[in-house]
Amino acid sequence: MHSLNLGILAHVDAGKTSLTERLLHTVGIIDEIGSVDDGSTQTDSLALERQRGITIKSAVVSFEIDDVTVNLIDTPGHPDFIAEVERVLSVLDGAVLVISAVEGVQAQTRVLMRTLRRLRIPTLVFVNKIDRRGADTDRVLRGVAERLTPAIVPMGTARGLGTRDARTVPHAGFTTGMLDVLSAHDDDLLTSYVEDGTVPYTRLRAALAEQTGRSLVHPVFFGSAMTGAGVDALVSGIRELLPAAAGHPAGPVSGTVFKVERGPAGEKIAYARLFSGTVRTRDVLTFGDFSDPGDTGDSGDSGDAGGDGGRGGGRRQGKVTAVSVFERGAARPRTSVAAGRIGKLWGLGDIRIGDTVGVPREHVEEFSHTRPAGRHHFSPPTLETVVDPARPTDRGALHTALTQLAEQDPLIDLRHDPVRREISVSLYGEVQKEVVQATLADEFGLDVGFRETTTICVERPAGSGEAVEFNGKDANPFLATVGLRVDPAPAGAGVRFRLEVELGGMPYAFFKAVEDTVREALGQGIHGWQVTDCTVTMTHSGYSPRQSHAHQGFDKSMSSTGADFRGLTPLVLMAALRQAGTRVYEPMHRFRLEAPADTLGALLPALAALRAVPRTTRTHGTACVLEGAVPAARVHELEQRLPGLTSGEGELEAAFDHYAPVGRGAVPERPRTDHNPLNRKEYLLNVTRRVGG
């Protein structure tokens, strides 16, 4: 039996979860279809999901179509939860992109389709809600061709649009439209048509499956999740057109963790997709960050000290104590999970979302030419807010609770300021505040509030700078010599650490302590923002060898320890950064704004006031389309003002695009949460106590 890991993706309210319910009913997994409005669906299990009628966390259910076991993953549609969608993409064999027949292509639809095409994930399109008033499949098809991709193949037509009797009529034979799209990638099809005047439908269907599997074309189905119209045709399309999962159960273990939750006893449960091999109960697994998204530099060049990258932790091990595999609608206890399947693993206490289990996927032959599984495909969070407990005595419990939430969503990026006793979390949007607030209340009994949302900037070196402190000289209280040079790197390069000193010149643990501390210290630059896109080179090193007195053992006061290098490195790094200088960059969103042409006179001054820069302006008919860039900090205000500026007819699509230098006003500063190595006296007062204690 083959496996297929299938994602259901869509703009919010397009009907994803309803389609999931209908699919489960069609294949016989459930007897009664749940309602999003009533909060009775299979995949929306969180209380807040049922209350709001939206999907927040991805959920997995399983069913069979003939000889194919489908693991269906329902994903969030709201852009605030795009990180959850990102994690699902790393485990998919295929996807169904749902579009409303009424609203058509929307902002999030475009974001998702761009990513699906870039990652070459085979995708079917399902135009939902043909029974709703205002449904217009011809308009939707034009929108898909113009705004998503022209490589689409309608698999039928819809009749009775906008009524409860709406139905679909599948194409059962040759169509010139199908031939036109498929022949663009298959010259033999066109030759056969020219010579014979037709092409057998069986051959067209085989070419369609082959090209769909290569993500060259996208079949389009019509239907209604509410009435079930067209769903049988979609089920057949999933079975016939999407490729089965690859991978050999007897191969080396390789998998990706895309979700982590905690069980009733607080134990971690990892959701893992296996690309190769078999994981059994009592197996000892190696897992960790094999491709750190925060460091795209190659750490394998000659002279590099290596290391585990931005998040830290490197490779870890754990023993699997229990396994469940998704079958017939639910996760069922089993003794093993094999390649191509999704399993829940217990016992891996240090496991984290994004971890590679076993060897990286690209090291397995079948996947050697695919993208690395651990990379980020969507934008980073660009907003943050301080979380305040209603009761000051709950601060400790709040930190513990948010730490657990960060395990389930690493992009929350928890920041703790011990001086101000404040905890900050990263966000994609305001809806996430409600989710965090409700989760803390429901699961941890904590009542919290939020301060004003602020923008997350980054720092980049403006030039090169270097500094060095020698062991036993220049009032250096640490038994260590550290020299560092900071050089700028291209945008998107991340952070790279290199050596210009002999790796054998001192114990490797000291080099590792310097590298780890460099990466940690770069979390707060001259202005308090994370420093990125730079190369840090260690230019000097030295230590005091192990000393001991007779019969008294190791003398810490005369011998270097890792603490000496961890203590000295931030001082040297900040001195080098000061010499290099840094610039603060703010996140910029690309935007596409469509509105009536007669509102352009009001729109342009408003955009200028928000520091939005239109790069292209075009009109078609009575509408105008503006595309350009706007600071992330002003997107929410633009969304609020748009209805009034466009008589309620404006449509805005905005997504993170790049970081740009802050060019106006004072440079934004971020409060420091470290011991402030920019102030040597203050820093040493705090740190040397720890070193000498």
Side-chain angles (χ1 to χ4, degrees):
M1 179 168 285
H2 302 296
S3 296
L4 169 66
N5 296 293
L6 177 71
I8 305 290
L9 299 91
H11 186 98
V12 66
D13 288 336
K16 269 184 316 76
T17 302
S18 296
L19 178 59
T20 299
E21 290 289 307
R22 177 61 66 175
L23 286 171
L24 294 177
H25 182 266
T26 300
V27 298
I29 293 298
I30 56 177
D31 296 326
E32 185 175 344
I33 296 176
S35 166
V36 174
D37 294 335
D38 296 339
S40 57
T41 60
Q42 294 290 305
T43 53
D44 286 345
S45 57
L46 299 180
L48 191 62
E49 290 178 316
R50 298 181 184 277
Q51 292 166 14
R52 293 185 60 100
I54 61 173
T55 301
I56 296 170
K57 291 292 183 182
S58 59
V60 183
V61 290
S62 182
F63 58 87
E64 295 178 1
I65 306 175
D66 299 330
D67 61 341
V68 177
T69 296
V70 178
N71 292 316
L72 189 150
I73 308 174
D74 186 21
T75 63
H78 198 287
D80 280 13
F81 309 110
I82 196 66
E84 190 76 16
V85 180
E86 171 187 342
R87 291 189 281 273
V88 169
L89 291 179
S90 66
V91 306
L92 296 183
D93 303 304
V96 174
L97 181 64
V98 184
I99 301 175
S100 167
V102 180
E103 287 82 12
V105 175
Q106 297 175 278
Q108 187 73 350
T109 320
R110 287 167 55 87
V111 173
L112 292 168
M113 189 59 163
R114 275 198 302 265
T115 306
L116 289 165
R117 294 188 68 200
R118 185 171 70 248
L119 299 178
R120 300 188 301 278
I121 296 174
T123 303
L124 310 181
V125 176
F126 184 73
V127 179
N128 191 26
K129 301 185 180 181
I130 64 170
D131 59 317
R132 297 288 183 88
R133 180 179 300 176
D136 186 340
T137 54
D138 290 339
R139 174 176 52 81
V140 173
L141 283 176
R142 287 195 301 272
V144 171
E146 292 172 1
R147 303 180 64 185
L148 298 183
T149 172
I152 56 175
V153 178
M155 301 303 293
T157 58
R159 305 283 175 82
L161 290 173
T163 71
R164 293 288 294 179
D165 296 326
R167 68 190 190 283
T168 61
V169 180
H171 293 317
F174 172 87
T175 67
T176 55
M178 183 182 293
L179 176 67
D180 290 343
V181 174
L182 296 177
S183 61
H185 307 286
D186 189 338
D187 292 339
D188 290 342
L189 285 178
L190 187 58
T191 300
S192 296
Y193 179 68
V194 171
E195 293 177 350
D196 303 331
T198 187
V199 178
Y201 183 66
T202 53
R203 183 174 177 185
L204 278 179
R205 190 82 178 192
L208 179 63
E210 190 269 336
Q211 293 188 26
T212 301
R214 293 165 56 200
S215 198
L216 297 175
V217 302
H218 305 283
V220 180
F221 296 84
F222 304 99
S224 168
M226 295 302 294
T227 67
V231 174
D232 285 336
L234 177 63
V235 170
S236 297
I238 292 170
R239 167 68 181 86
E240 298 172 17
L241 301 176
L242 293 179
H248 293 299
V253 171
S254 176
T256 295
V257 175
F258 67 94
K259 179 176 179 177
V260 173
E261 65 183 16
R262 287 191 176 268
E267 74 279 16
K268 276 189 180 180
I269 306 170
Y271 287 64
R273 154 74 194 271
L274 282 194
F275 299 101
S276 173
T278 300
V279 172
R280 299 174 177 83
T281 304
R282 294 187 293 279
D283 279 356
V284 175
L285 295 182
T286 300
F287 49 86
D289 282 332
F290 288 83
S291 56
D292 177 51
D295 178 10
T296 56
D298 176 12
S299 61
D301 287 355
S302 175
D304 286 8
D308 52 271
R311 281 197 299 165
R315 300 177 68 177
R316 287 154 275 129
Q317 284 191 334
K319 185 176 182 179
V320 178
T321 58
V323 173
S324 286
V325 179
F326 285 91
E327 297 174 355
R328 297 291 299 170
R332 304 181 186 280
R334 295 289 183 264
T335 57
S336 65
V337 55
R341 305 300 294 271
I342 291 176
K344 296 170 67 173
L345 307 178
W346 280 258
L348 308 178
D350 293 331
I351 201 78
R352 296 181 299 208
I353 289 175
D355 278 349
T356 293
V357 176
V359 302
R361 182 190 347 181
E362 57 269 29
H363 292 181
V364 179
E365 184 177 355
E366 297 99 310
F367 303 97
S368 59
H369 301 294
T370 63
R371 58 185 168 84
R375 302 294 186 194
H376 282 258
H377 316 300
F378 290 101
S379 62
T382 56
L383 305 172
E384 70 176 352
T385 185
V386 174
V387 187
D388 286 321
R391 298 179 296 273
T393 54
D394 284 342
R395 290 192 184 278
L398 175 60
H399 185 270
T400 300
L402 286 173
T403 299
Q404 289 194 20
L405 292 185
E407 291 175 352
Q408 300 172 28
D409 187 350
L411 295 184
I412 283 181
D413 192 23
L414 198 65
R415 295 182 73 245
H416 182 227
D417 185 341
V419 177
R420 297 172 182 82
R421 302 189 69 197
E422 295 176 351
I423 304 173
S424 301
V425 294
S426 303
L427 301 169
Y428 279 96
E430 295 296 318
V431 173
Q432 275 186 295
K433 282 186 179 180
E434 298 178 42
V435 173
V436 172
Q437 188 175 42
T439 303
L440 290 173
D442 295 343
E443 297 185 15
F444 301 95
L446 296 172
D447 184 13
V448 302
F450 298 91
R451 300 186 194 174
E452 183 181 359
T453 301
T454 57
T455 305
I456 302 174
C457 299
V458 299
E459 291 184 51
R460 289 174 177 154
S464 297
E466 57 185 314
V468 60
E469 294 211 22
F470 294 96
N471 188 355
K473 297 181 181 179
D474 303 324
N476 175 8
F478 303 100
L479 296 178
T481 294
V482 174
L484 298 171
R485 184 177 68 249
V486 177
D487 297 301
V495 174
R496 187 177 182 184
F497 182 81
R498 303 193 64 184
L499 297 180
E500 279 186 359
V501 293
E502 290 292 335
L503 189 59
M506 65 180 186
Y508 173 76
F510 294 160
F511 288 111
K512 189 67 169 62
V514 172
E515 179 182 2
D516 289 348
T517 306
V518 163
R519 295 187 184 278
E520 181 181 352
L522 287 176
Q524 299 177 75
I526 303 300
H527 300 282
W529 305 102
Q530 180 177 359
V531 181
T532 186
D533 301 333
C534 64
T535 299
V536 179
T537 304
M538 191 170 185
T539 58
H540 297 76
S541 65
Y543 75 110
S544 295
R546 183 181 180 93
Q547 302 289 327
S548 61
H549 296 295
H551 310 297
Q552 294 182 7
F554 172 57
D555 187 347
K556 184 178 179 181
S557 66
M558 300 173 60
S559 309
S560 296
T561 67
D564 289 297
F565 289 89
R566 289 190 294 271
L568 180 59
T569 296
L571 286 173
V572 178
L573 181 63
M574 287 301 121
L577 266 183
R578 264 200 177 118
Q579 188 181 100
T582 65
R583 292 194 68 179
V584 176
Y585 290 70
E586 64 178 332
M588 301 292 291
H589 282 218
R590 63 178 178 274
F591 73 86
R592 181 184 187 277
L593 198 163
E594 185 169 348
D598 59 9
T599 65
L600 193 60
L603 275 173
L604 290 177
L607 290 173
L610 295 172
R611 295 196 290 126
V613 180
R615 296 197 176 106
T616 63
T617 303
R618 63 181 187 274
T619 59
H620 57 87
T622 60
C624 67
V625 178
L626 304 174
E627 294 183 346
V630 59
R634 313 308 291 270
V635 171
H636 185 59
E637 185 177 351
L638 177 57
E639 291 172 338
Q640 291 181 315
R641 295 187 60 184
L642 188 61
L645 294 168
T646 63
S647 302
E649 297 185 39
E651 178 185 324
L652 176 67
E653 174 190 334
F656 172 82
D657 188 63
H658 66 284
Y659 288 95
V662 174
R664 297 185 186 179
V667 175
E669 303 279 339
R670 191 187 209 185
R672 304 193 72 87
T673 59
D674 57 9
H675 293 298
N676 192 13
L678 294 172
N679 185 325
R680 185 182 184 91
K681 183 177 180 179
E682 176 187 336
Y683 179 82
L684 292 177
L685 182 65
N686 287 300
V687 176
T688 53
R689 290 176 182 172
R690 297 190 174 191
V691 172

